[in-house]
Amino acid sequence: MRLSDAERQDALEALEEHVRTGRLDLDEFGTRSAKVSAARMASELEPLFTDLPSPRPSALLPLPPMPGVAQASAKNEVQPSKWLTASAVPIATAVAIALFFFTRGTFLVFLLPLAVALIMSRRR
């Protein structure tokens, strides 16, 4: 990937920090800073920082994962336990209606969806 002026400046500031901490002498700083100024690609910066600890220029840091991509794939996946929890009360209501007709009008079967809703709310 091509470097921007801001990324080159960030790399120079990282080298300056290494000079301040004594990891680089002025001659080595001059050599490396000339190479940073001439660098066009991020890959050209890598050899200049391989022997140095943090701070590293932002162009060499790994890119964070793109949240939109991860969220999109997670949204499309339906977990069975979530599906069961979301559909338990409607299923219990359908069963209660069926039982109402098969038991010839016992209204107590309509307590079934209420019981399922209470049980499912305690599981969360």
Side-chain angles (χ1 to χ4, degrees), residues 11-70:
L12 288 172
E13 289 171 4
L15 286 176
E16 289 170 3
E17 177 62 28
H18 291 299
V19 169
R20 280 192 291 273
T21 58
R23 291 189 188 99
L24 293 176
D25 61 18
L26 290 177
D27 290 335
E28 194 168 8
F29 171 75
T31 303
R32 290 185 190 210
S33 62
K35 289 180 181 180
V36 165
S37 297
R40 297 287 172 236
M41 306 293 281
S43 60
E44 295 174 48
L45 294 180
E46 184 63 37
L48 303 175
F49 288 90
T50 55
D51 61 337
L52 296 171
S54 200
R56 297 178 64 81
S58 59
L60 296 180
L61 297 177
L63 295 175
M66 295 177 62
V69 174

Side-chain angles (χ1 to χ4, degrees), residues 89 92-93 109-120:
V89 174
T93 303
V109 295
F110 289 108
L111 294 177
L112 180 64
L114 180 62
V116 170
L118 288 172
I119 292 169
M120 294 313 248

